[in-house]
Short mmCIF file of all heavy atoms in Angstrom, two decimals:
data_model
loop_
_atom_site.label_atom_id
_atom_site.label_comp_id
_atom_site.label_asym_id
_atom_site.label_seq_id
_atom_site.Cartn_x
_atom_site.Cartn_y
_atom_site.Cartn_z
N ARG L 9 -18.11 -19.33 -11.10
CA ARG L 9 -19.14 -18.88 -10.17
C ARG L 9 -20.07 -20.02 -9.78
O ARG L 9 -20.54 -20.10 -8.66
CB ARG L 9 -19.98 -17.75 -10.81
CG ARG L 9 -19.26 -16.43 -10.95
CD ARG L 9 -18.75 -15.90 -9.62
NE ARG L 9 -19.80 -15.73 -8.63
CZ ARG L 9 -20.49 -14.61 -8.44
NH1 ARG L 9 -20.29 -13.57 -9.20
NH2 ARG L 9 -21.41 -14.54 -7.49
N ASN L 31 -0.83 -14.24 2.51
CA ASN L 31 -1.81 -15.17 3.08
C ASN L 31 -2.97 -15.42 2.12
O ASN L 31 -3.47 -14.48 1.50
CB ASN L 31 -2.39 -14.61 4.37
CG ASN L 31 -1.34 -14.34 5.42
OD1 ASN L 31 -0.35 -15.06 5.53
ND2 ASN L 31 -1.55 -13.28 6.19
N PHE L 33 -6.70 -17.97 1.83
CA PHE L 33 -7.62 -18.76 2.65
C PHE L 33 -8.71 -19.37 1.76
O PHE L 33 -9.13 -18.76 0.79
CB PHE L 33 -8.34 -17.85 3.68
CG PHE L 33 -7.40 -17.03 4.53
CD1 PHE L 33 -6.88 -15.84 4.05
CD2 PHE L 33 -7.05 -17.45 5.79
CE1 PHE L 33 -6.03 -15.06 4.83
CE2 PHE L 33 -6.20 -16.70 6.58
CZ PHE L 33 -5.69 -15.50 6.09
N GLN L 37 -19.20 -21.60 2.99
CA GLN L 37 -20.29 -20.88 3.62
C GLN L 37 -21.56 -21.68 3.47
O GLN L 37 -21.98 -21.99 2.35
CB GLN L 37 -20.46 -19.49 2.98
CG GLN L 37 -21.57 -18.66 3.61
CD GLN L 37 -21.74 -17.33 2.95
OE1 GLN L 37 -21.08 -16.99 1.96
NE2 GLN L 37 -22.61 -16.51 3.48
N GLY L 40 -26.78 -20.62 8.12
CA GLY L 40 -26.83 -20.84 9.56
C GLY L 40 -25.49 -21.17 10.20
O GLY L 40 -25.38 -21.23 11.42
N LEU L 43 -19.16 -18.55 7.88
CA LEU L 43 -17.97 -18.94 7.13
C LEU L 43 -17.11 -19.84 8.01
O LEU L 43 -16.79 -19.49 9.15
CB LEU L 43 -17.16 -17.73 6.70
CG LEU L 43 -17.57 -17.02 5.43
CD1 LEU L 43 -18.86 -16.27 5.62
CD2 LEU L 43 -16.47 -16.07 4.99
N PHE L 48 -5.66 -22.72 5.03
CA PHE L 48 -5.04 -21.44 4.70
C PHE L 48 -3.55 -21.66 4.41
O PHE L 48 -2.98 -22.70 4.74
CB PHE L 48 -5.28 -20.40 5.78
CG PHE L 48 -4.65 -20.70 7.11
CD1 PHE L 48 -3.43 -20.15 7.47
CD2 PHE L 48 -5.31 -21.51 8.02
CE1 PHE L 48 -2.87 -20.41 8.70
CE2 PHE L 48 -4.75 -21.78 9.26
CZ PHE L 48 -3.52 -21.24 9.61
N ALA L 95 -2.53 -9.44 3.33
CA ALA L 95 -1.11 -9.19 3.48
C ALA L 95 -0.62 -9.74 4.80
O ALA L 95 -1.41 -9.94 5.73
CB ALA L 95 -0.86 -7.68 3.41
N GLY L 97 1.60 -9.50 8.36
CA GLY L 97 1.81 -8.39 9.28
C GLY L 97 0.85 -8.37 10.44
O GLY L 97 1.01 -7.61 11.37
N GLY L 98 -0.18 -9.16 10.37
CA GLY L 98 -1.04 -9.29 11.54
C GLY L 98 -2.28 -8.45 11.53
O GLY L 98 -2.23 -7.27 11.28
N TRP L 99 -3.38 -9.09 11.79
CA TRP L 99 -4.64 -8.44 12.07
C TRP L 99 -5.13 -7.52 10.96
O TRP L 99 -5.75 -6.47 11.21
CB TRP L 99 -4.56 -7.67 13.39
CG TRP L 99 -4.21 -8.52 14.54
CD1 TRP L 99 -4.79 -9.72 14.88
CD2 TRP L 99 -3.19 -8.29 15.52
NE1 TRP L 99 -4.19 -10.23 16.01
CE2 TRP L 99 -3.23 -9.38 16.43
CE3 TRP L 99 -2.28 -7.25 15.74
CZ2 TRP L 99 -2.37 -9.45 17.52
CZ3 TRP L 99 -1.45 -7.34 16.82
CH2 TRP L 99 -1.49 -8.42 17.70
N VAL L 100 -4.85 -7.93 9.75
CA VAL L 100 -5.31 -7.10 8.62
C VAL L 100 -6.55 -7.71 8.01
O VAL L 100 -6.86 -8.89 8.21
CB VAL L 100 -4.21 -6.98 7.56
CG1 VAL L 100 -3.01 -6.24 8.12
CG2 VAL L 100 -3.80 -8.34 7.03
N GLU L 101 -7.26 -6.89 7.25
CA GLU L 101 -8.49 -7.38 6.64
C GLU L 101 -8.17 -8.36 5.51
O GLU L 101 -7.12 -8.30 4.87
CB GLU L 101 -9.33 -6.22 6.10
CG GLU L 101 -8.65 -5.39 5.04
CD GLU L 101 -7.89 -4.22 5.63
OE1 GLU L 101 -7.43 -4.32 6.79
OE2 GLU L 101 -7.74 -3.21 4.93
N GLN L 102 -9.11 -9.25 5.30
CA GLN L 102 -9.02 -10.18 4.20
C GLN L 102 -9.89 -9.66 3.04
O GLN L 102 -10.92 -9.06 3.26
CB GLN L 102 -9.51 -11.58 4.64
CG GLN L 102 -8.59 -12.20 5.69
CD GLN L 102 -9.08 -13.56 6.14
OE1 GLN L 102 -9.94 -14.19 5.52
NE2 GLN L 102 -8.50 -14.05 7.22
N PHE L 104 -11.93 -10.79 -0.37
CA PHE L 104 -12.63 -12.01 -0.82
C PHE L 104 -12.91 -12.01 -2.31
O PHE L 104 -13.14 -10.96 -2.92
CB PHE L 104 -13.95 -12.16 -0.06
CG PHE L 104 -13.79 -12.64 1.35
CD1 PHE L 104 -13.45 -11.76 2.35
CD2 PHE L 104 -13.98 -13.98 1.65
CE1 PHE L 104 -13.28 -12.20 3.66
CE2 PHE L 104 -13.83 -14.42 2.95
CZ PHE L 104 -13.48 -13.55 3.96
N GLY L 105 -12.92 -13.22 -2.87
CA GLY L 105 -13.39 -13.41 -4.21
C GLY L 105 -14.91 -13.53 -4.24
O GLY L 105 -15.56 -13.50 -3.19
N THR T 31 -5.15 -8.50 23.20
CA THR T 31 -4.98 -7.80 21.93
C THR T 31 -5.71 -8.56 20.84
O THR T 31 -5.42 -9.74 20.61
CB THR T 31 -3.49 -7.67 21.57
OG1 THR T 31 -2.80 -7.01 22.60
CG2 THR T 31 -3.35 -6.89 20.26
N TYR T 33 -8.51 -7.88 17.15
CA TYR T 33 -9.20 -6.98 16.24
C TYR T 33 -10.58 -7.53 15.92
O TYR T 33 -10.77 -8.75 15.88
CB TYR T 33 -8.41 -6.81 14.93
CG TYR T 33 -7.31 -5.79 14.99
CD1 TYR T 33 -6.11 -6.09 15.62
CD2 TYR T 33 -7.47 -4.54 14.40
CE1 TYR T 33 -5.09 -5.15 15.67
CE2 TYR T 33 -6.45 -3.60 14.45
CZ TYR T 33 -5.27 -3.90 15.09
OH TYR T 33 -4.28 -2.97 15.13
N TYR T 37 -18.04 -7.22 7.85
CA TYR T 37 -18.08 -7.40 6.40
C TYR T 37 -19.52 -7.40 5.94
O TYR T 37 -20.44 -7.82 6.67
CB TYR T 37 -17.47 -8.75 6.00
CG TYR T 37 -15.96 -8.82 6.04
CD1 TYR T 37 -15.29 -9.10 7.21
CD2 TYR T 37 -15.23 -8.62 4.89
CE1 TYR T 37 -13.91 -9.19 7.25
CE2 TYR T 37 -13.84 -8.70 4.89
CZ TYR T 37 -13.19 -8.98 6.08
OH TYR T 37 -11.82 -9.06 6.10
N GLN T 39 -21.98 -8.78 2.77
CA GLN T 39 -22.06 -9.69 1.63
C GLN T 39 -23.37 -9.39 0.87
O GLN T 39 -24.44 -9.87 1.23
CB GLN T 39 -22.05 -11.15 2.08
CG GLN T 39 -22.00 -12.12 0.89
CD GLN T 39 -22.00 -13.57 1.34
OE1 GLN T 39 -22.67 -13.95 2.29
NE2 GLN T 39 -21.21 -14.40 0.64
N SER T 42 -24.57 -10.34 -4.69
CA SER T 42 -23.56 -10.79 -5.66
C SER T 42 -22.61 -11.83 -5.06
O SER T 42 -21.94 -12.57 -5.79
CB SER T 42 -22.75 -9.60 -6.17
OG SER T 42 -22.11 -8.95 -5.10
N GLU T 44 -19.80 -11.50 -3.00
CA GLU T 44 -18.44 -11.15 -2.57
C GLU T 44 -18.49 -10.37 -1.24
O GLU T 44 -19.16 -9.37 -1.14
CB GLU T 44 -17.80 -10.29 -3.65
CG GLU T 44 -16.36 -9.94 -3.43
CD GLU T 44 -15.77 -9.28 -4.66
OE1 GLU T 44 -16.21 -9.59 -5.78
OE2 GLU T 44 -14.87 -8.45 -4.49
N PHE T 47 -15.20 -5.66 2.89
CA PHE T 47 -14.72 -5.19 4.19
C PHE T 47 -15.33 -3.84 4.51
O PHE T 47 -15.36 -2.94 3.66
CB PHE T 47 -13.18 -5.10 4.12
CG PHE T 47 -12.56 -4.31 5.23
CD1 PHE T 47 -12.47 -4.87 6.49
CD2 PHE T 47 -12.04 -3.06 4.99
CE1 PHE T 47 -11.87 -4.15 7.51
CE2 PHE T 47 -11.45 -2.33 6.01
CZ PHE T 47 -11.35 -2.88 7.27
N ARG T 50 -12.41 -2.24 10.62
CA ARG T 50 -11.56 -2.99 11.51
C ARG T 50 -11.34 -2.12 12.76
O ARG T 50 -11.10 -0.91 12.65
CB ARG T 50 -10.20 -3.27 10.88
CG ARG T 50 -9.24 -4.02 11.77
CD ARG T 50 -7.90 -4.20 11.11
NE ARG T 50 -7.23 -2.93 10.87
CZ ARG T 50 -5.95 -2.84 10.51
NH1 ARG T 50 -5.23 -3.92 10.36
NH2 ARG T 50 -5.41 -1.67 10.31
N PHE T 91 -21.54 -9.81 8.33
CA PHE T 91 -20.76 -10.70 9.20
C PHE T 91 -19.85 -9.90 10.12
O PHE T 91 -19.18 -8.95 9.68
CB PHE T 91 -19.89 -11.64 8.37
CG PHE T 91 -20.65 -12.68 7.61
CD1 PHE T 91 -20.99 -12.49 6.28
CD2 PHE T 91 -21.01 -13.87 8.23
CE1 PHE T 91 -21.68 -13.44 5.58
CE2 PHE T 91 -21.71 -14.83 7.52
CZ PHE T 91 -22.05 -14.63 6.20
N SER T 95 -10.28 -11.48 15.05
CA SER T 95 -8.98 -12.03 14.65
C SER T 95 -8.37 -12.76 15.83
O SER T 95 -8.52 -12.37 16.98
CB SER T 95 -8.04 -10.93 14.19
OG SER T 95 -7.72 -10.09 15.28
N GLU T 96 -7.67 -13.84 15.52
CA GLU T 96 -6.97 -14.55 16.57
C GLU T 96 -5.69 -13.82 16.95
O GLU T 96 -5.24 -12.94 16.25
CB GLU T 96 -6.64 -15.97 16.10
CG GLU T 96 -7.89 -16.83 15.93
CD GLU T 96 -7.55 -18.30 15.85
OE1 GLU T 96 -6.38 -18.64 15.61
OE2 GLU T 96 -8.46 -19.11 16.06
N ARG T 99 -0.54 -13.28 15.08
CA ARG T 99 -0.50 -12.26 14.02
C ARG T 99 0.17 -12.75 12.77
O ARG T 99 0.22 -12.04 11.77
CB ARG T 99 0.15 -10.99 14.53
CG ARG T 99 1.57 -11.17 15.02
CD ARG T 99 2.07 -9.89 15.64
NE ARG T 99 2.11 -8.84 14.63
CZ ARG T 99 1.94 -7.57 14.93
NH1 ARG T 99 1.70 -7.19 16.15
NH2 ARG T 99 2.00 -6.65 14.00
N THR T 101 -0.75 -15.43 11.08
CA THR T 101 -1.63 -16.16 10.20
C THR T 101 -2.89 -15.37 9.85
O THR T 101 -3.55 -15.71 8.90
CB THR T 101 -2.08 -17.48 10.85
OG1 THR T 101 -2.81 -17.19 12.04
CG2 THR T 101 -0.90 -18.35 11.16
N ASP T 102 -3.23 -14.38 10.63
CA ASP T 102 -4.39 -13.54 10.30
C ASP T 102 -5.67 -14.32 10.16
O ASP T 102 -6.51 -13.99 9.33
CB ASP T 102 -4.13 -12.76 9.01
CG ASP T 102 -2.91 -11.87 9.15
OD1 ASP T 102 -2.81 -11.19 10.16
OD2 ASP T 102 -2.05 -11.91 8.25
N LYS T 103 -5.85 -15.35 10.91
CA LYS T 103 -7.10 -16.10 10.84
C LYS T 103 -8.22 -15.28 11.43
O LYS T 103 -8.05 -14.59 12.43
CB LYS T 103 -6.96 -17.42 11.60
CG LYS T 103 -6.11 -18.45 10.90
CD LYS T 103 -5.83 -19.64 11.80
CE LYS T 103 -7.07 -20.38 12.12
NZ LYS T 103 -6.78 -21.59 12.94
N LEU T 104 -9.38 -15.37 10.80
CA LEU T 104 -10.57 -14.70 11.29
C LEU T 104 -11.60 -15.73 11.73
O LEU T 104 -11.77 -16.76 11.08
CB LEU T 104 -11.17 -13.82 10.20
CG LEU T 104 -10.38 -12.58 9.78
CD1 LEU T 104 -11.12 -11.83 8.68
CD2 LEU T 104 -10.12 -11.67 10.96
N THR T 108 -22.20 -16.10 12.47
CA THR T 108 -23.03 -16.79 11.49
C THR T 108 -23.76 -15.83 10.55
O THR T 108 -24.44 -16.25 9.62
CB THR T 108 -24.07 -17.68 12.19
OG1 THR T 108 -24.76 -16.90 13.16
CG2 THR T 108 -23.40 -18.85 12.87
#
Side-chain angles (χ1 to χ4, degrees):
Chain L
R9 289 302 303 268
N31 301 325
F33 307 83
Q37 181 181 3
L43 276 71
F48 65 97
W99 302 311
V100 296
E101 61 269 29
Q102 294 180 14
F104 284 81
Chain T
T31 302
Y33 276 77
Y37 283 85
Q39 186 181 38
S42 60
E44 185 171 330
F47 165 74
R50 179 184 64 168
F91 290 96
S95 66
E96 292 196 342
R99 59 186 297 151
T101 62
D102 301 313
K103 287 171 65 177
L104 292 179
T108 52

